[in-house]
Amino acid sequence: MNKEKRRQILERLRDDNPNPETELEFSNPYELLVAVALSAQATDVSVNKATRTLFPAANTPQAMLDLGVDGVKQHIKTIGLYNTKAENVIKAARILVEEHGGEVPEDLDALVRLPGVGRKTANVVLNCAFGWPTIAVDTHIFRVSNRTKFAMGKNVDQVEEKLLKVVPAEFKVDVHHWLILHGRYTCLARKPRCGSCLIEDLCEFKEKVYPEG
């Protein structure tokens, strides 16, 4: 895909949603960190449902430590892998208290060292909480980037590297939101909604799907 076509795609997505935000609910960087970690192999809807009771009970690392593993489990047991996730939340909270003064570090290397926090989670936190121009590649972004031919790669790291290279600076802070939402609601995995796609004429996917009739 050429540079001009990519720009047109980004401009359309921006015009349609000029101030995109994550669909995870949070009020501080720590809540976001926990919510993103909990969202692995779970939907944002299910995570929000759990954190609406978890965060009023504990929304700082120290408060989470005081709540304890069993306390966390009671709030997140409707989420997949909740046992492991609860243990990681507590382990990460302990590190944040002991090594970072109870604050979420604005540092990629420090974030990925936290239990249950991978590169994708760290990038989401840096982007959404601190405004960094990072691009967190999840399954939606990976699919949309490859399917449209916007930024192709064999794995999420390659797609992230390509996106960082080809997306102009003015779009970098918001692009991962646009691509996630596009993959979640339009460019669906099994049956993309090409007939109602905002960028259908710019997309280079050869097997477009349209509703019958």
Side-chain angles (χ1 to χ4, degrees), residues 30 54 57-58 60-76 82-83 85-91 93-94:
Y30 179 63
L54 174 63
T60 68
Q62 185 59 59
M64 200 67 75
L65 277 179
D66 294 341
L67 188 61
V69 172
D70 290 338
V72 173
K73 287 181 182 180
Q74 290 305 307
H75 291 282
I76 70 168
Y82 76 93
N83 284 313
K85 289 177 179 179
E87 292 174 4
N88 284 335
V89 165
I90 293 301
K91 290 175 184 175
R94 183 168 289 110

PDB file of all heavy atoms in Angstrom, residues 30 54 57-58 60-76 82-83 85-91 93-94:
ATOM      1  N   TYR A  30      -3.066   3.511  37.198  1.00  0.00           N
ATOM      2  CA  TYR A  30      -3.042   2.183  37.805  1.00  0.00           C
ATOM      3  C   TYR A  30      -4.291   1.389  37.440  1.00  0.00           C
ATOM      4  O   TYR A  30      -4.208   0.193  37.122  1.00  0.00           O
ATOM      5  CB  TYR A  30      -2.903   2.277  39.325  1.00  0.00           C
ATOM      6  CG  TYR A  30      -2.901   0.907  39.975  1.00  0.00           C
ATOM      7  CD1 TYR A  30      -1.886  -0.011  39.702  1.00  0.00           C
ATOM      8  CD2 TYR A  30      -3.939   0.515  40.815  1.00  0.00           C
ATOM      9  CE1 TYR A  30      -1.892  -1.278  40.265  1.00  0.00           C
ATOM     10  CE2 TYR A  30      -3.954  -0.751  41.382  1.00  0.00           C
ATOM     11  CZ  TYR A  30      -2.929  -1.645  41.101  1.00  0.00           C
ATOM     12  OH  TYR A  30      -2.939  -2.910  41.642  1.00  0.00           O
ATOM     13  N   LEU A  54     -14.352  -3.841  41.572  1.00  0.00           N
ATOM     14  CA  LEU A  54     -12.967  -3.946  42.051  1.00  0.00           C
ATOM     15  C   LEU A  54     -12.372  -2.583  42.371  1.00  0.00           C
ATOM     16  O   LEU A  54     -11.789  -2.392  43.451  1.00  0.00           O
ATOM     17  CB  LEU A  54     -12.107  -4.653  41.001  1.00  0.00           C
ATOM     18  CG  LEU A  54     -10.601  -4.720  41.292  1.00  0.00           C
ATOM     19  CD1 LEU A  54     -10.325  -5.527  42.561  1.00  0.00           C
ATOM     20  CD2 LEU A  54      -9.848  -5.311  40.102  1.00  0.00           C
ATOM     21  N   ALA A  57     -13.177  -0.745  45.524  1.00  0.00           N
ATOM     22  CA  ALA A  57     -12.573  -1.418  46.681  1.00  0.00           C
ATOM     23  C   ALA A  57     -11.070  -1.190  46.738  1.00  0.00           C
ATOM     24  O   ALA A  57     -10.479  -1.124  47.834  1.00  0.00           O
ATOM     25  CB  ALA A  57     -12.863  -2.915  46.626  1.00  0.00           C
ATOM     26  N   ALA A  58     -10.419  -1.044  45.566  1.00  0.00           N
ATOM     27  CA  ALA A  58      -8.961  -0.881  45.530  1.00  0.00           C
ATOM     28  C   ALA A  58      -8.552  -0.308  44.189  1.00  0.00           C
ATOM     29  O   ALA A  58      -8.648  -1.003  43.177  1.00  0.00           O
ATOM     30  CB  ALA A  58      -8.265  -2.218  45.769  1.00  0.00           C
ATOM     31  N   THR A  60      -5.474   1.670  44.010  1.00  0.00           N
ATOM     32  CA  THR A  60      -4.047   1.996  44.113  1.00  0.00           C
ATOM     33  C   THR A  60      -3.302   0.702  44.411  1.00  0.00           C
ATOM     34  O   THR A  60      -3.901  -0.271  44.910  1.00  0.00           O
ATOM     35  CB  THR A  60      -3.766   3.005  45.244  1.00  0.00           C
ATOM     36  OG1 THR A  60      -4.029   2.374  46.509  1.00  0.00           O
ATOM     37  CG2 THR A  60      -4.604   4.265  45.091  1.00  0.00           C
ATOM     38  N   PRO A  61      -2.010   0.647  44.112  1.00  0.00           N
ATOM     39  CA  PRO A  61      -1.267  -0.581  44.407  1.00  0.00           C
ATOM     40  C   PRO A  61      -1.346  -1.004  45.876  1.00  0.00           C
ATOM     41  O   PRO A  61      -1.511  -2.198  46.173  1.00  0.00           O
ATOM     42  CB  PRO A  61       0.165  -0.223  43.992  1.00  0.00           C
ATOM     43  CG  PRO A  61      -0.011   0.780  42.901  1.00  0.00           C
ATOM     44  CD  PRO A  61      -1.192   1.609  43.338  1.00  0.00           C
ATOM     45  N   GLN A  62      -1.241  -0.047  46.798  1.00  0.00           N
ATOM     46  CA  GLN A  62      -1.292  -0.395  48.217  1.00  0.00           C
ATOM     47  C   GLN A  62      -2.660  -0.937  48.603  1.00  0.00           C
ATOM     48  O   GLN A  62      -2.778  -1.927  49.337  1.00  0.00           O
ATOM     49  CB  GLN A  62      -0.948   0.807  49.088  1.00  0.00           C
ATOM     50  CG  GLN A  62      -0.855   0.478  50.578  1.00  0.00           C
ATOM     51  CD  GLN A  62       0.195  -0.592  50.884  1.00  0.00           C
ATOM     52  OE1 GLN A  62       1.367  -0.407  50.589  1.00  0.00           O
ATOM     53  NE2 GLN A  62      -0.232  -1.719  51.461  1.00  0.00           N
ATOM     54  N   ALA A  63      -3.705  -0.294  48.105  1.00  0.00           N
ATOM     55  CA  ALA A  63      -5.061  -0.775  48.407  1.00  0.00           C
ATOM     56  C   ALA A  63      -5.288  -2.165  47.836  1.00  0.00           C
ATOM     57  O   ALA A  63      -5.963  -3.000  48.450  1.00  0.00           O
ATOM     58  CB  ALA A  63      -6.093   0.205  47.861  1.00  0.00           C
ATOM     59  N   MET A  64      -4.699  -2.423  46.666  1.00  0.00           N
ATOM     60  CA  MET A  64      -4.839  -3.749  46.055  1.00  0.00           C
ATOM     61  C   MET A  64      -4.112  -4.791  46.900  1.00  0.00           C
ATOM     62  O   MET A  64      -4.617  -5.909  47.101  1.00  0.00           O
ATOM     63  CB  MET A  64      -4.291  -3.738  44.628  1.00  0.00           C
ATOM     64  CG  MET A  64      -4.799  -4.861  43.756  1.00  0.00           C
ATOM     65  SD  MET A  64      -6.578  -4.753  43.377  1.00  0.00           S
ATOM     66  CE  MET A  64      -6.604  -3.430  42.151  1.00  0.00           C
ATOM     67  N   LEU A  65      -2.929  -4.441  47.402  1.00  0.00           N
ATOM     68  CA  LEU A  65      -2.205  -5.350  48.295  1.00  0.00           C
ATOM     69  C   LEU A  65      -3.019  -5.656  49.542  1.00  0.00           C
ATOM     70  O   LEU A  65      -3.077  -6.794  50.016  1.00  0.00           O
ATOM     71  CB  LEU A  65      -0.855  -4.728  48.696  1.00  0.00           C
ATOM     72  CG  LEU A  65       0.318  -4.887  47.733  1.00  0.00           C
ATOM     73  CD1 LEU A  65       1.545  -4.173  48.301  1.00  0.00           C
ATOM     74  CD2 LEU A  65       0.636  -6.354  47.480  1.00  0.00           C
ATOM     75  N   ASP A  66      -3.643  -4.619  50.082  1.00  0.00           N
ATOM     76  CA  ASP A  66      -4.457  -4.800  51.285  1.00  0.00           C
ATOM     77  C   ASP A  66      -5.662  -5.705  50.994  1.00  0.00           C
ATOM     78  O   ASP A  66      -6.096  -6.466  51.866  1.00  0.00           O
ATOM     79  CB  ASP A  66      -4.949  -3.450  51.802  1.00  0.00           C
ATOM     80  CG  ASP A  66      -3.805  -2.569  52.300  1.00  0.00           C
ATOM     81  OD1 ASP A  66      -2.716  -3.110  52.583  1.00  0.00           O
ATOM     82  OD2 ASP A  66      -3.996  -1.338  52.384  1.00  0.00           O
ATOM     83  N   LEU A  67      -6.176  -5.631  49.779  1.00  0.00           N
ATOM     84  CA  LEU A  67      -7.320  -6.472  49.397  1.00  0.00           C
ATOM     85  C   LEU A  67      -6.911  -7.935  49.314  1.00  0.00           C
ATOM     86  O   LEU A  67      -7.662  -8.822  49.715  1.00  0.00           O
ATOM     87  CB  LEU A  67      -7.883  -5.999  48.046  1.00  0.00           C
ATOM     88  CG  LEU A  67      -9.179  -6.618  47.554  1.00  0.00           C
ATOM     89  CD1 LEU A  67     -10.326  -6.346  48.529  1.00  0.00           C
ATOM     90  CD2 LEU A  67      -9.528  -6.067  46.171  1.00  0.00           C
ATOM     91  N   GLY A  68      -5.702  -8.187  48.821  1.00  0.00           N
ATOM     92  CA  GLY A  68      -5.170  -9.546  48.767  1.00  0.00           C
ATOM     93  C   GLY A  68      -5.680 -10.348  47.575  1.00  0.00           C
ATOM     94  O   GLY A  68      -6.649  -9.969  46.913  1.00  0.00           O
ATOM     95  N   VAL A  69      -5.007 -11.468  47.336  1.00  0.00           N
ATOM     96  CA  VAL A  69      -5.342 -12.310  46.189  1.00  0.00           C
ATOM     97  C   VAL A  69      -6.789 -12.781  46.242  1.00  0.00           C
ATOM     98  O   VAL A  69      -7.529 -12.696  45.253  1.00  0.00           O
ATOM     99  CB  VAL A  69      -4.402 -13.536  46.099  1.00  0.00           C
ATOM    100  CG1 VAL A  69      -4.885 -14.503  45.016  1.00  0.00           C
ATOM    101  CG2 VAL A  69      -2.983 -13.091  45.789  1.00  0.00           C
ATOM    102  N   ASP A  70      -7.218 -13.289  47.386  1.00  0.00           N
ATOM    103  CA  ASP A  70      -8.585 -13.809  47.491  1.00  0.00           C
ATOM    104  C   ASP A  70      -9.605 -12.703  47.304  1.00  0.00           C
ATOM    105  O   ASP A  70     -10.666 -12.924  46.704  1.00  0.00           O
ATOM    106  CB  ASP A  70      -8.792 -14.493  48.845  1.00  0.00           C
ATOM    107  CG  ASP A  70      -8.016 -15.804  48.953  1.00  0.00           C
ATOM    108  OD1 ASP A  70      -7.691 -16.371  47.894  1.00  0.00           O
ATOM    109  OD2 ASP A  70      -7.732 -16.239  50.083  1.00  0.00           O
ATOM    110  N   GLY A  71      -9.286 -11.519  47.803  1.00  0.00           N
ATOM    111  CA  GLY A  71     -10.193 -10.384  47.637  1.00  0.00           C
ATOM    112  C   GLY A  71     -10.336  -9.989  46.189  1.00  0.00           C
ATOM    113  O   GLY A  71     -11.442  -9.713  45.703  1.00  0.00           O
ATOM    114  N   VAL A  72      -9.208  -9.993  45.463  1.00  0.00           N
ATOM    115  CA  VAL A  72      -9.244  -9.665  44.033  1.00  0.00           C
ATOM    116  C   VAL A  72     -10.058 -10.708  43.281  1.00  0.00           C
ATOM    117  O   VAL A  72     -10.886 -10.377  42.423  1.00  0.00           O
ATOM    118  CB  VAL A  72      -7.812  -9.580  43.456  1.00  0.00           C
ATOM    119  CG1 VAL A  72      -7.861  -9.411  41.934  1.00  0.00           C
ATOM    120  CG2 VAL A  72      -7.043  -8.427  44.088  1.00  0.00           C
ATOM    121  N   LYS A  73      -9.858 -11.969  43.621  1.00  0.00           N
ATOM    122  CA  LYS A  73     -10.578 -13.052  42.936  1.00  0.00           C
ATOM    123  C   LYS A  73     -12.089 -12.888  43.051  1.00  0.00           C
ATOM    124  O   LYS A  73     -12.832 -13.185  42.109  1.00  0.00           O
ATOM    125  CB  LYS A  73     -10.162 -14.412  43.500  1.00  0.00           C
ATOM    126  CG  LYS A  73      -8.780 -14.872  43.091  1.00  0.00           C
ATOM    127  CD  LYS A  73      -8.474 -16.240  43.685  1.00  0.00           C
ATOM    128  CE  LYS A  73      -7.067 -16.697  43.322  1.00  0.00           C
ATOM    129  NZ  LYS A  73      -6.741 -18.017  43.896  1.00  0.00           N
ATOM    130  N   GLN A  74     -12.554 -12.444  44.201  1.00  0.00           N
ATOM    131  CA  GLN A  74     -13.994 -12.284  44.392  1.00  0.00           C
ATOM    132  C   GLN A  74     -14.591 -11.298  43.400  1.00  0.00           C
ATOM    133  O   GLN A  74     -15.744 -11.433  42.988  1.00  0.00           O
ATOM    134  CB  GLN A  74     -14.285 -11.820  45.829  1.00  0.00           C
ATOM    135  CG  GLN A  74     -14.022 -12.871  46.891  1.00  0.00           C
ATOM    136  CD  GLN A  74     -14.790 -14.161  46.620  1.00  0.00           C
ATOM    137  OE1 GLN A  74     -16.006 -14.148  46.437  1.00  0.00           O
ATOM    138  NE2 GLN A  74     -14.080 -15.284  46.589  1.00  0.00           N
ATOM    139  N   HIS A  75     -13.802 -10.316  42.991  1.00  0.00           N
ATOM    140  CA  HIS A  75     -14.295  -9.295  42.059  1.00  0.00           C
ATOM    141  C   HIS A  75     -14.151  -9.705  40.595  1.00  0.00           C
ATOM    142  O   HIS A  75     -14.924  -9.256  39.751  1.00  0.00           O
ATOM    143  CB  HIS A  75     -13.550  -7.983  42.284  1.00  0.00           C
ATOM    144  CG  HIS A  75     -13.873  -7.310  43.578  1.00  0.00           C
ATOM    145  ND1 HIS A  75     -15.034  -6.584  43.775  1.00  0.00           N
ATOM    146  CD2 HIS A  75     -13.195  -7.264  44.753  1.00  0.00           C
ATOM    147  CE1 HIS A  75     -15.053  -6.112  45.013  1.00  0.00           C
ATOM    148  NE2 HIS A  75     -13.951  -6.506  45.629  1.00  0.00           N
ATOM    149  N   ILE A  76     -13.144 -10.548  40.287  1.00  0.00           N
ATOM    150  CA  ILE A  76     -12.848 -10.817  38.870  1.00  0.00           C
ATOM    151  C   ILE A  76     -13.128 -12.264  38.467  1.00  0.00           C
ATOM    152  O   ILE A  76     -12.731 -12.693  37.383  1.00  0.00           O
ATOM    153  CB  ILE A  76     -11.377 -10.458  38.539  1.00  0.00           C
ATOM    154  CG1 ILE A  76     -10.400 -11.439  39.204  1.00  0.00           C
ATOM    155  CG2 ILE A  76     -11.062  -9.030  38.938  1.00  0.00           C
ATOM    156  CD1 ILE A  76      -8.969 -11.316  38.688  1.00  0.00           C
ATOM    157  N   TYR A  82      -8.985 -16.071  35.832  1.00  0.00           N
ATOM    158  CA  TYR A  82      -9.011 -15.116  36.943  1.00  0.00           C
ATOM    159  C   TYR A  82      -8.052 -15.471  38.075  1.00  0.00           C
ATOM    160  O   TYR A  82      -7.532 -14.579  38.761  1.00  0.00           O
ATOM    161  CB  TYR A  82     -10.436 -14.924  37.471  1.00  0.00           C
ATOM    162  CG  TYR A  82     -10.972 -16.051  38.320  1.00  0.00           C
ATOM    163  CD1 TYR A  82     -10.854 -16.017  39.715  1.00  0.00           C
ATOM    164  CD2 TYR A  82     -11.621 -17.137  37.747  1.00  0.00           C
ATOM    165  CE1 TYR A  82     -11.359 -17.032  40.506  1.00  0.00           C
ATOM    166  CE2 TYR A  82     -12.124 -18.160  38.516  1.00  0.00           C
ATOM    167  CZ  TYR A  82     -11.999 -18.110  39.895  1.00  0.00           C
ATOM    168  OH  TYR A  82     -12.495 -19.122  40.682  1.00  0.00           O
ATOM    169  N   ASN A  83      -7.783 -16.752  38.282  1.00  0.00           N
ATOM    170  CA  ASN A  83      -6.862 -17.126  39.359  1.00  0.00           C
ATOM    171  C   ASN A  83      -5.458 -16.593  39.107  1.00  0.00           C
ATOM    172  O   ASN A  83      -4.852 -15.948  39.971  1.00  0.00           O
ATOM    173  CB  ASN A  83      -6.808 -18.660  39.511  1.00  0.00           C
ATOM    174  CG  ASN A  83      -8.031 -19.227  40.211  1.00  0.00           C
ATOM    175  OD1 ASN A  83      -8.445 -18.710  41.239  1.00  0.00           O
ATOM    176  ND2 ASN A  83      -8.612 -20.271  39.638  1.00  0.00           N
ATOM    177  N   LYS A  85      -4.634 -14.254  36.950  1.00  0.00           N
ATOM    178  CA  LYS A  85      -4.674 -12.799  36.842  1.00  0.00           C
ATOM    179  C   LYS A  85      -4.682 -12.137  38.217  1.00  0.00           C
ATOM    180  O   LYS A  85      -4.022 -11.120  38.426  1.00  0.00           O
ATOM    181  CB  LYS A  85      -5.888 -12.360  36.019  1.00  0.00           C
ATOM    182  CG  LYS A  85      -5.762 -12.691  34.537  1.00  0.00           C
ATOM    183  CD  LYS A  85      -7.003 -12.309  33.751  1.00  0.00           C
ATOM    184  CE  LYS A  85      -6.840 -12.634  32.274  1.00  0.00           C
ATOM    185  NZ  LYS A  85      -8.050 -12.300  31.490  1.00  0.00           N
ATOM    186  N   ALA A  86      -5.414 -12.702  39.155  1.00  0.00           N
ATOM    187  CA  ALA A  86      -5.448 -12.145  40.510  1.00  0.00           C
ATOM    188  C   ALA A  86      -4.064 -12.192  41.160  1.00  0.00           C
ATOM    189  O   ALA A  86      -3.621 -11.231  41.801  1.00  0.00           O
ATOM    190  CB  ALA A  86      -6.461 -12.901  41.367  1.00  0.00           C
ATOM    191  N   GLU A  87      -3.384 -13.307  40.983  1.00  0.00           N
ATOM    192  CA  GLU A  87      -2.033 -13.438  41.547  1.00  0.00           C
ATOM    193  C   GLU A  87      -1.081 -12.424  40.914  1.00  0.00           C
ATOM    194  O   GLU A  87      -0.258 -11.810  41.605  1.00  0.00           O
ATOM    195  CB  GLU A  87      -1.524 -14.866  41.342  1.00  0.00           C
ATOM    196  CG  GLU A  87      -2.275 -15.891  42.171  1.00  0.00           C
ATOM    197  CD  GLU A  87      -1.864 -17.323  41.847  1.00  0.00           C
ATOM    198  OE1 GLU A  87      -0.935 -17.497  41.030  1.00  0.00           O
ATOM    199  OE2 GLU A  87      -2.472 -18.251  42.417  1.00  0.00           O
ATOM    200  N   ASN A  88      -1.189 -12.242  39.588  1.00  0.00           N
ATOM    201  CA  ASN A  88      -0.321 -11.268  38.917  1.00  0.00           C
ATOM    202  C   ASN A  88      -0.622  -9.835  39.345  1.00  0.00           C
ATOM    203  O   ASN A  88       0.289  -9.018  39.479  1.00  0.00           O
ATOM    204  CB  ASN A  88      -0.466 -11.396  37.394  1.00  0.00           C
ATOM    205  CG  ASN A  88       0.268 -12.604  36.840  1.00  0.00           C
ATOM    206  OD1 ASN A  88       1.230 -13.082  37.444  1.00  0.00           O
ATOM    207  ND2 ASN A  88      -0.167 -13.091  35.696  1.00  0.00           N
ATOM    208  N   VAL A  89      -1.893  -9.525  39.535  1.00  0.00           N
ATOM    209  CA  VAL A  89      -2.275  -8.180  39.990  1.00  0.00           C
ATOM    210  C   VAL A  89      -1.618  -7.871  41.339  1.00  0.00           C
ATOM    211  O   VAL A  89      -1.081  -6.778  41.549  1.00  0.00           O
ATOM    212  CB  VAL A  89      -3.811  -8.055  40.095  1.00  0.00           C
ATOM    213  CG1 VAL A  89      -4.203  -6.813  40.916  1.00  0.00           C
ATOM    214  CG2 VAL A  89      -4.425  -7.958  38.700  1.00  0.00           C
ATOM    215  N   ILE A  90      -1.638  -8.838  42.232  1.00  0.00           N
ATOM    216  CA  ILE A  90      -1.037  -8.635  43.560  1.00  0.00           C
ATOM    217  C   ILE A  90       0.486  -8.559  43.471  1.00  0.00           C
ATOM    218  O   ILE A  90       1.119  -7.696  44.102  1.00  0.00           O
ATOM    219  CB  ILE A  90      -1.474  -9.752  44.530  1.00  0.00           C
ATOM    220  CG1 ILE A  90      -2.970  -9.644  44.825  1.00  0.00           C
ATOM    221  CG2 ILE A  90      -0.676  -9.681  45.831  1.00  0.00           C
ATOM    222  CD1 ILE A  90      -3.401  -8.323  45.439  1.00  0.00           C
ATOM    223  N   LYS A  91       1.094  -9.426  42.683  1.00  0.00           N
ATOM    224  CA  LYS A  91       2.551  -9.386  42.516  1.00  0.00           C
ATOM    225  C   LYS A  91       2.997  -8.050  41.915  1.00  0.00           C
ATOM    226  O   LYS A  91       3.995  -7.455  42.349  1.00  0.00           O
ATOM    227  CB  LYS A  91       3.012 -10.531  41.614  1.00  0.00           C
ATOM    228  CG  LYS A  91       2.899 -11.910  42.233  1.00  0.00           C
ATOM    229  CD  LYS A  91       3.267 -12.988  41.209  1.00  0.00           C
ATOM    230  CE  LYS A  91       3.082 -14.385  41.769  1.00  0.00           C
ATOM    231  NZ  LYS A  91       3.326 -15.429  40.724  1.00  0.00           N
ATOM    232  N   ALA A  93       1.336  -5.209  42.045  1.00  0.00           N
ATOM    233  CA  ALA A  93       1.089  -4.159  43.036  1.00  0.00           C
ATOM    234  C   ALA A  93       2.232  -4.075  44.040  1.00  0.00           C
ATOM    235  O   ALA A  93       2.662  -2.980  44.418  1.00  0.00           O
ATOM    236  CB  ALA A  93      -0.237  -4.429  43.755  1.00  0.00           C
ATOM    237  N   ARG A  94       2.746  -5.236  44.452  1.00  0.00           N
ATOM    238  CA  ARG A  94       3.850  -5.252  45.417  1.00  0.00           C
ATOM    239  C   ARG A  94       5.100  -4.589  44.830  1.00  0.00           C
ATOM    240  O   ARG A  94       5.779  -3.800  45.498  1.00  0.00           O
ATOM    241  CB  ARG A  94       4.149  -6.693  45.845  1.00  0.00           C
ATOM    242  CG  ARG A  94       5.247  -6.804  46.914  1.00  0.00           C
ATOM    243  CD  ARG A  94       5.321  -8.190  47.510  1.00  0.00           C
ATOM    244  NE  ARG A  94       4.181  -8.465  48.364  1.00  0.00           N
ATOM    245  CZ  ARG A  94       3.207  -9.330  48.069  1.00  0.00           C
ATOM    246  NH1 ARG A  94       3.247 -10.005  46.932  1.00  0.00           N
ATOM    247  NH2 ARG A  94       2.192  -9.516  48.895  1.00  0.00           N
TER     248      ARG A  94
END
